Amino acid sequence: HGFQLASWEFDGVNDPFISRNPTKPTPRAISSAQDLSALSGKQVSGSYYLTCDIDLGGAEWTPFDLYGTFDGKGHKIHNFVITRPTDDKTASFIGENHGEILSLYISDYSITITPDKIIGNPYTLYVGGLVAYNFGTIRFVKADGYINAEMPTSWPDSKYAVTGGLVAVNHGDIYSSYVVADITVYANLSLTVGGLVGNGENGQIVNCYTTGSIAGQSYEKSGASGGGIVGQSGYYQYTVVKNSFTDCD
């Protein structure tokens, strides 16, 4: 579709692991699946960058929370699956982004959440191709994968599903990013599904594009919202969309 990922250079910020001096730490290279897997399930600060494409070999992935910078340098992370939501009922490559994600391509992933894999009685399930909650900045990212999420019908408190091709809930900024969506969601009471963002609570989306297909079903037929870019805007604040378009079915 003509989407090009940019190449960026680091200035080296916020890395607690390796530093040249106390004020200008060195970014940390990720050169293998083992390097990347070391972040899985953790809260990560500092600066990281990919030196090559990373094939995760079809492994189950647990998201990490980002409080620094993750630069793909135009490389790809691919071939991973997510079948189990975290304890806070999120399913995504990164759980919370409080920093910056840039110049990254994630592809050939499958996020498939079925009732038997959900532990507890979640009120809401949050699913995003890249991030569940975005409080930071995302720029020059492409996501091309498969999402299928189903809430347990037998649990009375399991009501809502919020799903986005890139981000489930957005409070931050998303620039120049592209999603090939293949999303299907089922929820008991209500659902929100968007090609790029499920629920837009704040921030902005600029120069973004989505294609593919999105679908959802509410079993109790009491409410559903969907959109090619944003599924639903927030009740009190909302995400501003500029110069973005979709041809999602």
Side-chain angles (χ1 to χ4, degrees):
H1 298 279
F3 183 87
Q4 296 294 323
L5 289 172
S7 178
W8 295 78
E9 294 297 330
F10 268 99
D11 61 0
V13 292
N14 301 326
D15 190 345
F17 297 94
I18 309 172
S19 61
R20 294 189 184 95
N21 58 63
T23 60
K24 194 176 179 65
T26 303
R28 188 173 186 178
I30 296 176
S31 303
S32 66
Q34 184 177 5
D35 290 345
L36 184 60
S37 296
L39 307 182
S40 180
K42 298 177 180 177
Q43 289 191 348
V44 175
S45 62
S47 298
Y48 297 83
Y49 67 97
L50 300 184
T51 65
C52 59
D53 292 350
I54 303 291
D55 184 346
L56 288 171
E60 178 80 25
W61 179 258
T62 301
F64 61 93
D65 294 337
L66 180 66
Y67 291 83
T69 303
F70 193 97
D71 188 346
K73 297 286 188 181
H75 293 297
K76 175 171 62 175
I77 296 172
H78 62 113
N79 193 16
F80 63 92
V81 301
I82 299 174
T83 63
R84 298 185 298 271
T86 62
D87 291 342
D88 56 359
K89 304 304 177 282
T90 63
S92 55
F93 183 73
I94 295 173
E96 295 184 11
N97 174 39
H98 296 265
E100 183 177 27
I101 305 164
L102 68 155
S103 196
L104 176 66
Y105 178 22
I106 60 169
S107 71
D108 303 317
Y109 58 86
S110 172
I111 303 177
T112 305
I113 308 300
T114 54
D116 61 302
K117 297 294 185 180
I118 302 175
I119 299 172
N121 193 352
Y123 190 74
T124 304
L125 179 67
Y126 300 95
V127 182
L130 179 68
V131 172
Y133 295 95
N134 180 43
F135 298 95
T137 301
I138 298 170
R139 65 179 78 241
F140 299 109
V141 171
K142 179 182 177 182
D144 182 358
Y146 171 79
I147 297 175
N148 186 294
E150 182 178 356
M151 295 288 281
T153 59
S154 59
W155 296 352
D157 293 333
S158 298
K159 299 296 186 183
Y160 304 101
V162 179
T163 305
L166 194 70
V167 173
V169 180
N170 185 58
H171 295 266
D173 298 322
I174 305 172
Y175 302 104
S176 303
S177 294
Y178 170 41
V179 173
V180 179
D182 184 359
I183 305 172
T184 306
V185 186
Y186 302 92
N188 289 349
L189 182 62
S190 181
L191 63 90
T192 299
V193 56
L196 192 81
V197 169
N199 199 9
E201 297 284 354
N202 209 332
Q204 59 182 345
I205 295 169
V206 182
N207 297 332
C208 293
Y209 169 61
T210 63
T211 187
S213 63
I214 56 175
Q217 179 179 344
S218 173
Y219 294 122
E220 297 182 14
K221 297 181 175 61
S222 61
S225 59
I229 299 293
V230 178
Q232 176 177 282
S233 290
Y235 291 106
Y236 304 106
Q237 294 178 304
Y238 55 89
T239 294
V240 176
V241 179
K242 301 177 182 178
N243 194 34
S244 298
F245 65 101
T246 181
D247 64 1
C248 283
D249 296 332

